Amino acid sequence: MMNDGKPYGLYIDGRFQSASSGRVMRIENPKNRSHLADVAEGNETDIDRAIDAAEQAASVWAATPGAVRGDIMHRAGELLVKKLPELVTIEIDQIGRARREMSAQLGRLPEWFRYFGALARTYQDTVPPFGGNFLNYTRRVPLGVVGHVTPWNHPLLILTKKIAPSMAAGNTMVVKPSELAPITPLLLGDIFKEAGVPDGVYNVVPGLGGVAGKALTASKRIKKIDLTGGTETGKMVASMAGANLTKVAAELGGKAAVIMFDDTPVERGVAAALFASFIATGQTCVQGARLLVRRSVHDAVVAELVKRTNAIRLGDPQDMATQMGPLVSARQRDLTEHYVKIGLQEGAVLAAGGRRPDGAQFANGYYHQPTIFTHVNPTMRIAQEEIFGPVVCVIPFDAEEEAIAIANGTEFGLATSIWTRDVTRAHRVAHQLQSGIVWINDHHRIDPCSPWGGFKMSGIGRENGVVAFEEYTQIQNVIVNLSDEPFDWYADDGKEKRYS
């Protein structure tokens, strides 16, 4: 067990503390179900304690000049670089993602602290025009205490996308991480403390979503809830937050399409589809779950895709040679298997995978083969509903307009990628997609300065970029009368007076 067998505590007011109930959660390693660690299980009382600490720190952090906040965040980024080897190993053990993926992903986290640290230092308020002899200016001020509810599939990346802008903008925070992967969010606490973040600015309360998550979301003292999760969860969170007029940002479900035109070389297109579909064992909201292929190259693409998919190496996620690890939990594997059955019942053809891998090394873990369905009708459930597992549906199309209609034909609108050498077509198609993120000849790419979020049922608000920083602030407008002329609205002096 990690942490010398001792439970990890809640991180409140700059130190680890036991849960008020004394209860702990068992964290397991999905590759073999071994007991990884115990973590304190927070409840409503612990959420209140964390909000108390955040409120106490709020005035201090809000009054800290942006340049100073920026320096602290830069230091946090540099400390994070030094801690990455440990964090990568723990992240792999928590969620089962392959080391080659996790090392590449976490290696980029310091960029978010550098970018938003620079934004804290350089962001400029505005001086809007105002008729007459007036000075008119605006101030972006922090919201106060904000809540972050984060998932298990990218524990540190998704949390960082929330922490960095909210911290840069001068807010304090309470984090409710997934009960499946709470360890690395807790460990960030000491990194921030060493960087100079005041106690109480960053607080973490692991616990169950229906208890700790609900208490955080429903609290009248929380000024904004930022959630990443499923669409149904997002609806419930928005409803609870709405009762208090709490601001909500939510990055929710997806059913991303990869649109492959026939001028894309088959080998390149298949490599793209593999990356889009099977990275993170398919457990990502922008997974390329639907591969739309021009009918003229469909058979060639399917043949190459099946060959390449069958060659993906499953194994111990800590091994750099492993290309795909297990799913995160028994529930997630059961869900994947459930949808494989649905696909077969609907008449789709299983072209690859569709079952658990053979071998003793996989017997105790939550492994599932990467899976391809062909002969898929776009209206089938496997082509409409988010599976969150290593399953891709290949769907042929004839005309460009048909591809656009299929891509837009779900309730989701998070991300789509377009693969073509025709620049005009690429932009023409992109502009017709009901999708918050569109990649042309790529997939999965992200940057701290590039807005990230979805249309339709895929979410509210944006992560990354200046817009994310601004969404963690509220605007105060200050209007200064520069005239010494007396003003008396009720004086009967016959003068025309300005009312507004």
Side-chain angles (χ1 to χ4, degrees):
M1 285 179 61
M2 296 171 52
N3 203 33
D4 298 324
K6 297 179 292 185
Y8 288 95
L10 316 175
Y11 192 84
I12 298 176
D13 203 19
R15 62 187 179 89
F16 288 98
Q17 305 180 31
S18 298
S20 59
S21 67
R23 298 182 63 176
V24 298
M25 301 182 294
R26 184 182 189 273
I27 310 301
E28 70 173 10
N29 189 325
K31 76 177 182 183
N32 56 16
R33 309 185 199 182
S34 62
H35 189 179
L36 187 61
D38 288 323
V39 173
E41 181 183 327
N43 60 19
E44 301 92 338
T45 300
D46 300 306
I47 289 291
D48 279 340
R49 290 165 54 204
I51 295 174
D52 288 342
E55 285 183 334
Q56 187 68 30
S59 59
V60 173
W61 189 239
T64 302
V68 176
R69 290 201 300 267
D71 288 344
I72 291 172
M73 292 184 69
H74 277 269
R75 285 199 295 273
E78 295 311 307
L79 289 169
L80 191 55
V81 171
K82 297 177 182 177
K83 295 284 188 180
L84 280 178
E86 176 190 1
L87 294 173
V88 167
T89 297
I90 296 172
E91 199 94 315
I92 295 165
D93 282 343
Q94 284 187 127
I95 65 173
R97 281 191 66 177
R99 176 170 284 277
R100 65 200 303 262
E101 295 178 11
M102 195 54 69
S103 297
Q105 184 183 90
L106 297 197
R108 297 198 57 206
L109 296 188
E111 295 177 35
W112 269 260
F113 293 99
R114 294 171 188 142
Y115 172 78
F116 283 102
L119 198 54
R121 174 183 287 275
T122 61
Y123 186 86
Q124 296 180 340
D125 288 313
T126 64
V127 185
F130 199 97
N133 194 16
F134 292 88
L135 170 65
N136 181 38
Y137 65 93
T138 64
R139 299 175 63 231
R140 288 273 180 180
V141 298
L143 297 174
V145 182
V146 299
H148 300 318
V149 182
T150 59
W152 47 260
N153 58 325
H154 307 293
L156 280 181
L157 173 62
I158 290 176
L159 178 57
T160 295
K161 290 195 294 179
K162 301 180 190 306
I163 292 171
S166 58
M167 188 176 284
N171 299 286
T172 60
M173 64 207 70
V174 177
V175 176
K176 207 301 283 185
S178 167
E179 54 268 33
L180 296 179
I183 301 172
T184 46
L186 286 166
L187 297 181
L188 281 183
D190 280 346
I191 293 174
F192 292 144
K193 189 180 183 77
E194 185 177 350
V197 175
D199 292 349
V201 170
Y202 179 76
N203 306 276
V204 186
V205 182
L208 301 179
V211 181
K214 182 178 179 181
L216 181 63
T217 300
S219 175
K220 294 181 179 180
R221 297 192 287 164
I222 294 294
K223 304 307 179 186
K224 177 179 178 177
I225 285 288
D226 194 339
L227 160 81
T228 297
T231 296
E232 292 308 311
T233 301
K235 291 178 183 178
M236 290 188 289
V237 166
S239 177
M240 286 188 286
N244 300 320
L245 295 183
T246 301
K247 292 183 67 173
V248 175
E251 200 248 83
L252 305 174
K255 195 71 175 178
V258 176
I259 306 173
M260 188 183 304
F261 288 94
D262 53 4
D263 59 345
T264 300
V266 169
E267 293 78 10
R268 184 183 183 189
V270 167
L274 290 169
F275 178 63
S277 302
F278 298 133
I279 202 80
T281 320
Q283 299 168 118
T284 173
C285 51
V286 295
Q287 181 215 12
R290 298 176 297 151
L291 175 58
L292 314 186
V293 185
R294 199 78 179 244
R295 194 177 300 276
S296 60
V297 295
H298 173 270
D299 292 351
V301 168
V302 169
E304 181 68 12
L305 183 64
V306 169
K307 182 180 77 172
R308 292 289 310 275
T309 297
N310 287 335
I312 291 175
R313 291 190 301 274
L314 278 69
D316 184 342
Q318 291 287 3
D319 186 343
M320 255 327 243
T322 293
Q323 295 177 320
M324 182 182 289
L327 290 153
V328 75
S329 65
R331 180 182 181 277
Q332 209 59 35
R333 185 175 63 182
D334 289 347
L335 188 62
T336 299
E337 292 175 334
H338 175 64
Y339 272 102
V340 169
K341 291 178 182 177
I342 289 174
L344 293 172
Q345 291 167 357
E346 290 180 313
V349 173
L350 194 59
R355 61 185 180 86
R356 302 179 187 186
D358 297 323
Q361 63 176 317
F362 304 117
N364 293 322
Y366 303 123
Y367 290 89
H368 193 280
Q369 292 178 338
T371 298
I372 302 169
F373 276 111
T374 60
H375 296 79
V376 176
N377 185 301
T379 62
M380 289 179 177
R381 289 182 62 190
I382 57 170
Q384 288 288 317
E385 300 174 12
E386 187 175 42
I387 299 173
F388 228 65
V391 179
V392 60
C393 301
V394 185
I395 304 172
F397 68 89
D398 293 303
E400 177 182 306
E401 295 76 16
E402 182 186 5
I404 294 167
I406 295 171
N408 288 339
T410 75
E411 67 175 349
F412 302 110
L414 184 54
T416 310
S417 62
I418 303 164
W419 293 82
T420 179
R421 289 179 168 180
D422 186 331
V423 174
T424 302
R425 175 167 58 196
H427 287 278
R428 182 173 65 242
V429 172
H431 293 180
Q432 296 178 74
L433 293 172
Q434 298 166 4
S435 183
I437 305 159
V438 178
W439 297 285
I440 296 174
N441 296 328
D442 218 324
H443 203 97
H444 278 299
R445 303 305 179 189
I446 189 171
D447 192 272
C449 65
S450 184
W452 179 278
F455 293 175
K456 301 193 290 188
M457 300 303 286
S458 285
I460 305 169
R462 291 295 181 267
E463 297 176 325
N464 298 340
V466 176
V467 64
F469 176 89
E470 292 179 340
E471 288 185 0
Y472 273 102
T473 66
Q474 50 195 340
I475 300 176
Q476 183 184 64
N477 191 190
V478 180
I479 303 162
V480 184
N481 184 355
L482 300 179
S483 173
D484 283 334
E485 291 295 318
F487 175 81
D488 187 344
W489 178 263
Y490 293 100
D492 292 326
D493 53 15
K495 294 180 179 179
E496 184 177 346
K497 298 178 175 65
R498 175 174 176 166
Y499 171 70
S500 60

